[in-house]
Amino acid sequence: MGKVHVINHPLVQHKLTLMRREDTGAKDFRELLGEIAMLMCYEVTRDLPMEEIEITTPICKCKSRVISGKKLGVIPILRAGLGMVDGFMKLVPTCKVGHIGLYRNPVTHKPVEYYCKLPPDAGERELIVVDPMLATGGSSSDAITMLKSRGCKYIKLVCLVGAPEGIEYVQKTHPDVDIYIAAIDEKLNENKYIVPGLGDAGDRIFGTK
Ligand code: PRP
Ligand code: URA
């Protein structure tokens, strides 16, 4: 069973509270999401392997540590996942970006696939799927299935807010994938929106409502 890492850092929790408020506008919402993404990137990369290399400082030669092992890829689920990409790219500028397009059918609430473009070497990279919202879990789970069907093996999921049923669904469908999340909310409502949640993340980022 994949682990669920709840990122309880005060900065993350404070910024998330600001994002939840209905009177927070699109500009602030986007900035806060970018900042939280950066903080979550810090946590999700905590277990990256390291190696010692020899370098020369202005004073002398010495051994110093650098990240080793697999290269990274960040995979936003369109549209709302796009709001988290810059935060990751700021801290890991060499990571490649793949895009997965999914939208929830408004009646069935099931995800519908419309796009997938991955780096050619995605299968050798450690991939971090990003999407602010984990509601029923259908979109995240399908995105991970799409990656696996294209040969990807090393996958983590980073979300901002999740419902218990969505987390359970991803754990059941992809027991090998760890989930990093800032808050586990109470439940889903009759429209499968997270309660209390923060509303429709894509609409709030892009001002489409
Ligand atoms: C939202 C959100 C997730 C999905 C979560 O996307 O960004 O991708 O819903 O719901 P689920 O866990 O029940 O699948 P949406 O389908 O609204 O598309 P958008 O980002 O383009 O607005
Ligand atoms: N998608 C969102 O953007 N918000 C929710 O609460 C559920 C799905």
Side-chain angles (χ1 to χ4, degrees):
M1 179 76 72
K3 281 200 197 117
V4 180
H5 307 258
V6 180
I7 312 300
N8 269 321
H9 193 288
L11 283 172
V12 172
Q13 296 302 319
H14 183 89
K15 289 172 192 292
L16 176 57
T17 298
L18 297 177
M19 287 183 73
R20 288 184 190 273
R21 295 179 63 136
E22 67 173 347
D23 56 357
T24 298
K27 179 175 181 287
D28 288 340
F29 190 91
R30 280 194 301 273
E31 284 174 7
L32 290 161
L33 179 58
E35 288 163 7
I36 294 181
M38 219 187 301
L39 294 164
M40 292 189 83
C41 176
Y42 179 78
E43 289 297 336
V44 77
T45 51
R46 192 178 275 286
D47 62 354
L48 290 182
M50 306 212 66
E51 63 180 324
E52 271 199 339
I53 59 167
E54 192 170 279
I55 58 164
T56 309
T57 74
I59 308 299
C60 65
K61 284 188 190 306
C62 70
K63 296 234 160 102
S64 198
R65 298 200 303 157
V66 291
I67 293 169
S68 66
K70 292 179 202 61
K71 296 186 177 129
L72 298 187
V74 60
I75 314 289
I77 302 179
L78 307 179
R79 293 173 301 164
L82 287 175
M84 300 177 76
V85 173
D86 279 359
F88 276 75
M89 296 297 284
K90 277 193 184 126
L91 292 190
V92 190
T94 55
C95 81
K96 292 267 166 46
V97 184
H99 295 86
I100 289 184
L102 290 170
Y103 71 88
R104 285 204 319 181
N105 177 303
V107 178
T108 65
H109 309 297
K110 298 267 185 263
V112 181
E113 177 184 336
Y114 62 89
Y115 191 71
C116 184
K117 179 82 179 173
L118 303 178
D121 59 351
E124 283 91 62
R125 288 180 179 261
E126 179 166 323
L127 300 181
I128 304 170
V129 177
V130 294
D131 189 334
M133 308 310 279
L134 180 60
T136 65
S139 303
S140 291
S141 176
D142 280 15
I144 295 166
T145 301
M146 287 164 72
L147 293 175
K148 287 182 176 173
S149 72
R150 288 162 176 81
C152 305
K153 294 181 281 292
Y154 317 105
I155 302 170
K156 290 174 175 171
L157 174 65
V158 177
C159 300
L160 215 54
V161 182
E165 41 275 73
I167 290 169
E168 206 178 298
Y169 183 67
V170 173
Q171 284 189 306
K172 196 175 81 189
T173 48
H174 298 290
D176 55 314
V177 172
D178 277 8
I179 301 172
Y180 294 75
I181 198 152
I184 303 175
D185 277 11
E186 196 187 322
K187 59 179 182 184
L188 296 176
N189 69 14
E190 60 285 1
N191 296 317
K192 307 290 183 199
Y193 272 78
I194 300 171
V195 179
L198 48 73
D200 188 304
D203 283 343
R204 294 196 66 182
I205 292 167
F206 297 110
T208 41
K209 215 170 215 169

